[in-house]
PDB file of all heavy atoms in Angstrom:
ATOM      1  N   TYR A   1       0.839  -1.196   0.000  1.00  0.00           N
ATOM      2  CA  TYR A   1       0.000   0.000   0.000  1.00  0.00           C
ATOM      3  C   TYR A   1       0.878   1.251   0.000  1.00  0.00           C
ATOM      4  O   TYR A   1       1.844   1.351   0.775  1.00  0.00           O
ATOM      5  CB  TYR A   1      -0.919   0.006   1.211  1.00  0.00           C
ATOM      6  CG  TYR A   1      -2.082  -0.938   1.057  1.00  0.00           C
ATOM      7  CD1 TYR A   1      -1.898  -2.316   1.110  1.00  0.00           C
ATOM      8  CD2 TYR A   1      -3.370  -0.468   0.826  1.00  0.00           C
ATOM      9  CE1 TYR A   1      -2.950  -3.194   0.941  1.00  0.00           C
ATOM     10  CE2 TYR A   1      -4.441  -1.331   0.665  1.00  0.00           C
ATOM     11  CZ  TYR A   1      -4.224  -2.686   0.721  1.00  0.00           C
ATOM     12  OH  TYR A   1      -5.273  -3.551   0.547  1.00  0.00           O
ATOM     13  N   TYR A   2       0.503   2.193  -0.865  1.00  0.00           N
ATOM     14  CA  TYR A   2       1.266   3.423  -1.039  1.00  0.00           C
ATOM     15  C   TYR A   2       0.374   4.630  -0.763  1.00  0.00           C
ATOM     16  O   TYR A   2      -0.785   4.652  -1.188  1.00  0.00           O
ATOM     17  CB  TYR A   2       1.767   3.545  -2.471  1.00  0.00           C
ATOM     18  CG  TYR A   2       2.635   2.408  -2.941  1.00  0.00           C
ATOM     19  CD1 TYR A   2       2.073   1.284  -3.552  1.00  0.00           C
ATOM     20  CD2 TYR A   2       4.020   2.453  -2.800  1.00  0.00           C
ATOM     21  CE1 TYR A   2       2.863   0.231  -3.994  1.00  0.00           C
ATOM     22  CE2 TYR A   2       4.814   1.411  -3.241  1.00  0.00           C
ATOM     23  CZ  TYR A   2       4.223   0.310  -3.834  1.00  0.00           C
ATOM     24  OH  TYR A   2       5.018  -0.722  -4.283  1.00  0.00           O
ATOM     25  N   CYS A   3       0.925   5.634  -0.101  1.00  0.00           N
ATOM     26  CA  CYS A   3       0.238   6.920  -0.076  1.00  0.00           C
ATOM     27  C   CYS A   3       0.881   7.830  -1.120  1.00  0.00           C
ATOM     28  O   CYS A   3       2.049   7.657  -1.482  1.00  0.00           O
ATOM     29  CB  CYS A   3       0.263   7.559   1.305  1.00  0.00           C
ATOM     30  SG  CYS A   3       1.868   8.070   1.903  1.00  0.00           S
ATOM     31  N   ALA A   4       0.097   8.756  -1.597  1.00  0.00           N
ATOM     32  CA  ALA A   4       0.521   9.636  -2.672  1.00  0.00           C
ATOM     33  C   ALA A   4      -0.013  11.039  -2.436  1.00  0.00           C
ATOM     34  O   ALA A   4      -1.052  11.210  -1.790  1.00  0.00           O
ATOM     35  CB  ALA A   4       0.033   9.099  -4.013  1.00  0.00           C
ATOM     36  N   ALA A   5       0.688  12.019  -2.988  1.00  0.00           N
ATOM     37  CA  ALA A   5       0.291  13.412  -2.789  1.00  0.00           C
ATOM     38  C   ALA A   5       0.564  14.224  -4.036  1.00  0.00           C
ATOM     39  O   ALA A   5       1.453  13.895  -4.833  1.00  0.00           O
ATOM     40  CB  ALA A   5       1.056  14.014  -1.613  1.00  0.00           C
ATOM     41  N   LYS A   6      -0.214  15.279  -4.193  1.00  0.00           N
ATOM     42  CA  LYS A   6       0.030  16.240  -5.263  1.00  0.00           C
ATOM     43  C   LYS A   6      -0.357  17.621  -4.757  1.00  0.00           C
ATOM     44  O   LYS A   6      -1.346  17.767  -4.020  1.00  0.00           O
ATOM     45  CB  LYS A   6      -0.766  15.908  -6.523  1.00  0.00           C
ATOM     46  CG  LYS A   6      -2.242  16.109  -6.383  1.00  0.00           C
ATOM     47  CD  LYS A   6      -2.989  15.806  -7.662  1.00  0.00           C
ATOM     48  CE  LYS A   6      -2.930  16.692  -8.802  1.00  0.00           C
ATOM     49  NZ  LYS A   6      -2.402  17.854  -9.095  1.00  0.00           N
ATOM     50  N   PHE A   7       0.424  18.618  -5.117  1.00  0.00           N
ATOM     51  CA  PHE A   7       0.049  19.988  -4.809  1.00  0.00           C
ATOM     52  C   PHE A   7      -1.138  20.372  -5.679  1.00  0.00           C
ATOM     53  O   PHE A   7      -1.237  19.965  -6.833  1.00  0.00           O
ATOM     54  CB  PHE A   7       1.215  20.935  -5.038  1.00  0.00           C
ATOM     55  CG  PHE A   7       2.318  20.778  -4.034  1.00  0.00           C
ATOM     56  CD1 PHE A   7       3.535  20.259  -4.409  1.00  0.00           C
ATOM     57  CD2 PHE A   7       2.119  21.151  -2.717  1.00  0.00           C
ATOM     58  CE1 PHE A   7       4.550  20.103  -3.483  1.00  0.00           C
ATOM     59  CE2 PHE A   7       3.129  20.994  -1.781  1.00  0.00           C
ATOM     60  CZ  PHE A   7       4.347  20.470  -2.170  1.00  0.00           C
ATOM     61  N   THR A   8      -1.995  21.173  -5.097  1.00  0.00           N
ATOM     62  CA  THR A   8      -3.161  21.599  -5.850  1.00  0.00           C
ATOM     63  C   THR A   8      -3.471  23.038  -5.481  1.00  0.00           C
ATOM     64  O   THR A   8      -2.645  23.723  -4.882  1.00  0.00           O
ATOM     65  CB  THR A   8      -4.334  20.648  -5.562  1.00  0.00           C
ATOM     66  OG1 THR A   8      -5.437  21.002  -6.381  1.00  0.00           O
ATOM     67  CG2 THR A   8      -4.770  20.723  -4.107  1.00  0.00           C
ATOM     68  N   ALA A   9      -4.641  23.504  -5.877  1.00  0.00           N
ATOM     69  CA  ALA A   9      -5.050  24.875  -5.583  1.00  0.00           C
ATOM     70  C   ALA A   9      -5.998  24.882  -4.387  1.00  0.00           C
ATOM     71  O   ALA A   9      -6.688  23.901  -4.132  1.00  0.00           O
ATOM     72  CB  ALA A   9      -5.735  25.488  -6.791  1.00  0.00           C
ATOM     73  N   TYR A  10      -6.052  26.007  -3.698  1.00  0.00           N
ATOM     74  CA  TYR A  10      -6.938  26.098  -2.542  1.00  0.00           C
ATOM     75  C   TYR A  10      -8.403  25.879  -2.917  1.00  0.00           C
ATOM     76  O   TYR A  10      -9.189  25.423  -2.106  1.00  0.00           O
ATOM     77  CB  TYR A  10      -6.779  27.449  -1.846  1.00  0.00           C
ATOM     78  CG  TYR A  10      -5.535  27.545  -0.998  1.00  0.00           C
ATOM     79  CD1 TYR A  10      -4.423  28.243  -1.445  1.00  0.00           C
ATOM     80  CD2 TYR A  10      -5.481  26.935   0.252  1.00  0.00           C
ATOM     81  CE1 TYR A  10      -3.274  28.321  -0.665  1.00  0.00           C
ATOM     82  CE2 TYR A  10      -4.348  27.007   1.033  1.00  0.00           C
ATOM     83  CZ  TYR A  10      -3.244  27.706   0.573  1.00  0.00           C
ATOM     84  OH  TYR A  10      -2.112  27.784   1.336  1.00  0.00           O
ATOM     85  N   THR A  11      -8.741  26.200  -4.148  1.00  0.00           N
ATOM     86  CA  THR A  11     -10.126  26.084  -4.596  1.00  0.00           C
ATOM     87  C   THR A  11     -10.408  24.754  -5.288  1.00  0.00           C
ATOM     88  O   THR A  11     -11.513  24.529  -5.772  1.00  0.00           O
ATOM     89  CB  THR A  11     -10.459  27.223  -5.561  1.00  0.00           C
ATOM     90  OG1 THR A  11      -9.509  27.202  -6.641  1.00  0.00           O
ATOM     91  CG2 THR A  11     -10.395  28.570  -4.860  1.00  0.00           C
ATOM     92  N   ASP A  12      -9.429  23.876  -5.320  1.00  0.00           N
ATOM     93  CA  ASP A  12      -9.580  22.628  -6.057  1.00  0.00           C
ATOM     94  C   ASP A  12     -10.619  21.718  -5.406  1.00  0.00           C
ATOM     95  O   ASP A  12     -10.539  21.434  -4.210  1.00  0.00           O
ATOM     96  CB  ASP A  12      -8.233  21.911  -6.119  1.00  0.00           C
ATOM     97  CG  ASP A  12      -8.262  20.686  -6.996  1.00  0.00           C
ATOM     98  OD1 ASP A  12      -9.234  20.503  -7.756  1.00  0.00           O
ATOM     99  OD2 ASP A  12      -7.314  19.883  -6.934  1.00  0.00           O
ATOM    100  N   THR A  13     -11.569  21.237  -6.189  1.00  0.00           N
ATOM    101  CA  THR A  13     -12.571  20.294  -5.697  1.00  0.00           C
ATOM    102  C   THR A  13     -12.509  18.969  -6.446  1.00  0.00           C
ATOM    103  O   THR A  13     -13.403  18.137  -6.335  1.00  0.00           O
ATOM    104  CB  THR A  13     -13.981  20.882  -5.835  1.00  0.00           C
ATOM    105  OG1 THR A  13     -14.215  21.196  -7.213  1.00  0.00           O
ATOM    106  CG2 THR A  13     -14.155  22.130  -4.989  1.00  0.00           C
ATOM    107  N   ASN A  14     -11.448  18.766  -7.212  1.00  0.00           N
ATOM    108  CA  ASN A  14     -11.325  17.530  -7.972  1.00  0.00           C
ATOM    109  C   ASN A  14     -10.946  16.352  -7.084  1.00  0.00           C
ATOM    110  O   ASN A  14     -10.361  16.524  -6.022  1.00  0.00           O
ATOM    111  CB  ASN A  14     -10.271  17.684  -9.070  1.00  0.00           C
ATOM    112  CG  ASN A  14     -10.705  18.637 -10.150  1.00  0.00           C
ATOM    113  OD1 ASN A  14     -11.861  18.655 -10.534  1.00  0.00           O
ATOM    114  ND2 ASN A  14      -9.785  19.445 -10.634  1.00  0.00           N
ATOM    115  N   THR A  15     -11.282  15.165  -7.556  1.00  0.00           N
ATOM    116  CA  THR A  15     -10.875  13.917  -6.932  1.00  0.00           C
ATOM    117  C   THR A  15      -9.908  13.225  -7.881  1.00  0.00           C
ATOM    118  O   THR A  15     -10.232  13.028  -9.044  1.00  0.00           O
ATOM    119  CB  THR A  15     -12.083  13.020  -6.664  1.00  0.00           C
ATOM    120  OG1 THR A  15     -13.005  13.695  -5.807  1.00  0.00           O
ATOM    121  CG2 THR A  15     -11.641  11.725  -5.992  1.00  0.00           C
ATOM    122  N   TYR A  16      -8.757  12.857  -7.392  1.00  0.00           N
ATOM    123  CA  TYR A  16      -7.712  12.296  -8.244  1.00  0.00           C
ATOM    124  C   TYR A  16      -7.584  10.796  -7.983  1.00  0.00           C
ATOM    125  O   TYR A  16      -7.267  10.373  -6.872  1.00  0.00           O
ATOM    126  CB  TYR A  16      -6.389  13.000  -7.977  1.00  0.00           C
ATOM    127  CG  TYR A  16      -6.462  14.470  -8.294  1.00  0.00           C
ATOM    128  CD1 TYR A  16      -6.711  15.412  -7.307  1.00  0.00           C
ATOM    129  CD2 TYR A  16      -6.319  14.911  -9.610  1.00  0.00           C
ATOM    130  CE1 TYR A  16      -6.805  16.751  -7.603  1.00  0.00           C
ATOM    131  CE2 TYR A  16      -6.403  16.248  -9.912  1.00  0.00           C
ATOM    132  CZ  TYR A  16      -6.651  17.176  -8.915  1.00  0.00           C
ATOM    133  OH  TYR A  16      -6.745  18.499  -9.216  1.00  0.00           O
ATOM    134  N   THR A  17      -7.845   9.998  -9.011  1.00  0.00           N
ATOM    135  CA  THR A  17      -7.870   8.551  -8.862  1.00  0.00           C
ATOM    136  C   THR A  17      -6.850   7.832  -9.730  1.00  0.00           C
ATOM    137  O   THR A  17      -6.774   6.607  -9.688  1.00  0.00           O
ATOM    138  CB  THR A  17      -9.272   8.007  -9.191  1.00  0.00           C
ATOM    139  OG1 THR A  17      -9.556   8.279 -10.565  1.00  0.00           O
ATOM    140  CG2 THR A  17     -10.330   8.640  -8.311  1.00  0.00           C
ATOM    141  N   GLN A  18      -6.080   8.562 -10.509  1.00  0.00           N
ATOM    142  CA  GLN A  18      -5.077   7.957 -11.373  1.00  0.00           C
ATOM    143  C   GLN A  18      -3.694   8.166 -10.781  1.00  0.00           C
ATOM    144  O   GLN A  18      -3.383   9.259 -10.293  1.00  0.00           O
ATOM    145  CB  GLN A  18      -5.131   8.592 -12.766  1.00  0.00           C
ATOM    146  CG  GLN A  18      -6.490   8.518 -13.440  1.00  0.00           C
ATOM    147  CD  GLN A  18      -6.913   7.096 -13.713  1.00  0.00           C
ATOM    148  OE1 GLN A  18      -6.140   6.295 -14.222  1.00  0.00           O
ATOM    149  NE2 GLN A  18      -8.157   6.784 -13.360  1.00  0.00           N
ATOM    150  N   ASP A  19      -2.864   7.143 -10.857  1.00  0.00           N
ATOM    151  CA  ASP A  19      -1.546   7.320 -10.243  1.00  0.00           C
ATOM    152  C   ASP A  19      -0.735   8.382 -10.963  1.00  0.00           C
ATOM    153  O   ASP A  19       0.122   9.025 -10.345  1.00  0.00           O
ATOM    154  CB  ASP A  19      -0.786   6.000 -10.133  1.00  0.00           C
ATOM    155  CG  ASP A  19      -0.629   5.279 -11.446  1.00  0.00           C
ATOM    156  OD1 ASP A  19      -1.029   5.817 -12.484  1.00  0.00           O
ATOM    157  OD2 ASP A  19      -0.105   4.145 -11.424  1.00  0.00           O
ATOM    158  N   ARG A  20      -1.023   8.619 -12.241  1.00  0.00           N
ATOM    159  CA  ARG A  20      -0.283   9.655 -12.959  1.00  0.00           C
ATOM    160  C   ARG A  20      -0.638  11.054 -12.465  1.00  0.00           C
ATOM    161  O   ARG A  20       0.056  12.021 -12.778  1.00  0.00           O
ATOM    162  CB  ARG A  20      -0.551   9.567 -14.453  1.00  0.00           C
ATOM    163  CG  ARG A  20      -1.996   9.788 -14.853  1.00  0.00           C
ATOM    164  CD  ARG A  20      -2.172   9.776 -16.371  1.00  0.00           C
ATOM    165  NE  ARG A  20      -3.555   9.968 -16.777  1.00  0.00           N
ATOM    166  CZ  ARG A  20      -4.396   8.971 -16.976  1.00  0.00           C
ATOM    167  NH1 ARG A  20      -3.990   7.732 -16.822  1.00  0.00           N
ATOM    168  NH2 ARG A  20      -5.642   9.218 -17.353  1.00  0.00           N
ATOM    169  N   ASP A  21      -1.716  11.181 -11.699  1.00  0.00           N
ATOM    170  CA  ASP A  21      -2.101  12.485 -11.149  1.00  0.00           C
ATOM    171  C   ASP A  21      -1.172  12.934 -10.029  1.00  0.00           C
ATOM    172  O   ASP A  21      -1.114  14.119  -9.718  1.00  0.00           O
ATOM    173  CB  ASP A  21      -3.530  12.432 -10.592  1.00  0.00           C
ATOM    174  CG  ASP A  21      -4.578  12.239 -11.665  1.00  0.00           C
ATOM    175  OD1 ASP A  21      -4.358  12.705 -12.800  1.00  0.00           O
ATOM    176  OD2 ASP A  21      -5.612  11.606 -11.362  1.00  0.00           O
ATOM    177  N   TYR A  22      -0.493  11.997  -9.402  1.00  0.00           N
ATOM    178  CA  TYR A  22       0.271  12.287  -8.191  1.00  0.00           C
ATOM    179  C   TYR A  22       1.758  12.429  -8.477  1.00  0.00           C
ATOM    180  O   TYR A  22       2.315  11.728  -9.317  1.00  0.00           O
ATOM    181  CB  TYR A  22       0.025  11.184  -7.148  1.00  0.00           C
ATOM    182  CG  TYR A  22      -1.388  11.182  -6.626  1.00  0.00           C
ATOM    183  CD1 TYR A  22      -2.378  10.442  -7.265  1.00  0.00           C
ATOM    184  CD2 TYR A  22      -1.731  11.934  -5.512  1.00  0.00           C
ATOM    185  CE1 TYR A  22      -3.684  10.454  -6.794  1.00  0.00           C
ATOM    186  CE2 TYR A  22      -3.022  11.937  -5.031  1.00  0.00           C
ATOM    187  CZ  TYR A  22      -4.000  11.201  -5.682  1.00  0.00           C
ATOM    188  OH  TYR A  22      -5.290  11.220  -5.211  1.00  0.00           O
ATOM    189  N   ASN A  23       2.375  13.315  -7.732  1.00  0.00           N
ATOM    190  CA  ASN A  23       3.792  13.607  -7.933  1.00  0.00           C
ATOM    191  C   ASN A  23       4.699  12.962  -6.884  1.00  0.00           C
ATOM    192  O   ASN A  23       5.879  12.759  -7.138  1.00  0.00           O
ATOM    193  CB  ASN A  23       4.018  15.118  -7.888  1.00  0.00           C
ATOM    194  CG  ASN A  23       3.114  15.863  -8.832  1.00  0.00           C
ATOM    195  OD1 ASN A  23       2.223  16.581  -8.397  1.00  0.00           O
ATOM    196  ND2 ASN A  23       3.320  15.679 -10.120  1.00  0.00           N
ATOM    197  N   TYR A  24       4.139  12.694  -5.707  1.00  0.00           N
ATOM    198  CA  TYR A  24       4.959  12.228  -4.595  1.00  0.00           C
ATOM    199  C   TYR A  24       4.396  10.925  -4.051  1.00  0.00           C
ATOM    200  O   TYR A  24       3.173  10.787  -3.879  1.00  0.00           O
ATOM    201  CB  TYR A  24       5.004  13.290  -3.489  1.00  0.00           C
ATOM    202  CG  TYR A  24       5.530  14.602  -3.981  1.00  0.00           C
ATOM    203  CD1 TYR A  24       4.652  15.633  -4.332  1.00  0.00           C
ATOM    204  CD2 TYR A  24       6.896  14.808  -4.138  1.00  0.00           C
ATOM    205  CE1 TYR A  24       5.134  16.826  -4.815  1.00  0.00           C
ATOM    206  CE2 TYR A  24       7.381  16.016  -4.619  1.00  0.00           C
ATOM    207  CZ  TYR A  24       6.499  17.016  -4.959  1.00  0.00           C
ATOM    208  OH  TYR A  24       6.975  18.202  -5.449  1.00  0.00           O
ATOM    209  N   TRP A  25       5.304  10.002  -3.769  1.00  0.00           N
ATOM    210  CA  TRP A  25       4.915   8.666  -3.331  1.00  0.00           C
ATOM    211  C   TRP A  25       5.769   8.216  -2.160  1.00  0.00           C
ATOM    212  O   TRP A  25       6.965   8.544  -2.077  1.00  0.00           O
ATOM    213  CB  TRP A  25       5.106   7.660  -4.474  1.00  0.00           C
ATOM    214  CG  TRP A  25       4.197   7.895  -5.618  1.00  0.00           C
ATOM    215  CD1 TRP A  25       4.383   8.766  -6.659  1.00  0.00           C
ATOM    216  CD2 TRP A  25       2.930   7.278  -5.841  1.00  0.00           C
ATOM    217  NE1 TRP A  25       3.307   8.717  -7.513  1.00  0.00           N
ATOM    218  CE2 TRP A  25       2.408   7.807  -7.035  1.00  0.00           C
ATOM    219  CE3 TRP A  25       2.189   6.328  -5.149  1.00  0.00           C
ATOM    220  CZ2 TRP A  25       1.172   7.416  -7.562  1.00  0.00           C
ATOM    221  CZ3 TRP A  25       0.968   5.933  -5.668  1.00  0.00           C
ATOM    222  CH2 TRP A  25       0.469   6.469  -6.860  1.00  0.00           C
ATOM    223  N   GLY A  26       5.157   7.453  -1.259  1.00  0.00           N
ATOM    224  CA  GLY A  26       5.932   6.804  -0.228  1.00  0.00           C
ATOM    225  C   GLY A  26       6.501   5.492  -0.737  1.00  0.00           C
ATOM    226  O   GLY A  26       6.141   5.039  -1.829  1.00  0.00           O
ATOM    227  N   PRO A  27       7.374   4.855   0.030  1.00  0.00           N
ATOM    228  CA  PRO A  27       7.988   3.584  -0.393  1.00  0.00           C
ATOM    229  C   PRO A  27       7.046   2.397  -0.284  1.00  0.00           C
ATOM    230  O   PRO A  27       7.321   1.333  -0.860  1.00  0.00           O
ATOM    231  CB  PRO A  27       9.156   3.423   0.568  1.00  0.00           C
ATOM    232  CG  PRO A  27       8.735   4.176   1.792  1.00  0.00           C
ATOM    233  CD  PRO A  27       7.922   5.340   1.302  1.00  0.00           C
ATOM    234  N   GLY A  28       5.945   2.558   0.451  1.00  0.00           N
ATOM    235  CA  GLY A  28       4.966   1.483   0.563  1.00  0.00           C
ATOM    236  C   GLY A  28       5.096   0.693   1.853  1.00  0.00           C
ATOM    237  O   GLY A  28       6.158   0.659   2.484  1.00  0.00           O
ATOM    238  N   THR A  29       3.985   0.062   2.238  1.00  0.00           N
ATOM    239  CA  THR A  29       3.967  -0.820   3.396  1.00  0.00           C
ATOM    240  C   THR A  29       3.191  -2.076   3.025  1.00  0.00           C
ATOM    241  O   THR A  29       2.137  -1.990   2.383  1.00  0.00           O
ATOM    242  CB  THR A  29       3.363  -0.119   4.625  1.00  0.00           C
ATOM    243  OG1 THR A  29       3.471  -0.967   5.772  1.00  0.00           O
ATOM    244  CG2 THR A  29       1.897   0.259   4.423  1.00  0.00           C
ATOM    245  N   GLN A  30       3.717  -3.234   3.414  1.00  0.00           N
ATOM    246  CA  GLN A  30       3.118  -4.499   3.018  1.00  0.00           C
ATOM    247  C   GLN A  30       1.951  -4.852   3.923  1.00  0.00           C
ATOM    248  O   GLN A  30       2.063  -4.812   5.154  1.00  0.00           O
ATOM    249  CB  GLN A  30       4.170  -5.612   3.086  1.00  0.00           C
ATOM    250  CG  GLN A  30       3.634  -7.002   2.787  1.00  0.00           C
ATOM    251  CD  GLN A  30       3.275  -7.183   1.328  1.00  0.00           C
ATOM    252  OE1 GLN A  30       4.042  -6.824   0.434  1.00  0.00           O
ATOM    253  NE2 GLN A  30       2.096  -7.745   1.058  1.00  0.00           N
ATOM    254  N   VAL A  31       0.851  -5.220   3.302  1.00  0.00           N
ATOM    255  CA  VAL A  31      -0.320  -5.745   4.012  1.00  0.00           C
ATOM    256  C   VAL A  31      -0.563  -7.152   3.491  1.00  0.00           C
ATOM    257  O   VAL A  31      -0.718  -7.349   2.281  1.00  0.00           O
ATOM    258  CB  VAL A  31      -1.559  -4.866   3.792  1.00  0.00           C
ATOM    259  CG1 VAL A  31      -2.801  -5.542   4.368  1.00  0.00           C
ATOM    260  CG2 VAL A  31      -1.347  -3.491   4.413  1.00  0.00           C
TER     261      VAL A  31
END
C-alpha cells in the first residue's frame, strides 16, 4: 500500500484517482 500526494489549488474540488495524477509517493507498506 502506497500513499501519494500532489500539490493543488486552494479552490480545487477535484478527486484524483489515477496514479499519474500524483507527484509524490511513499515507499509502501506491506499488508
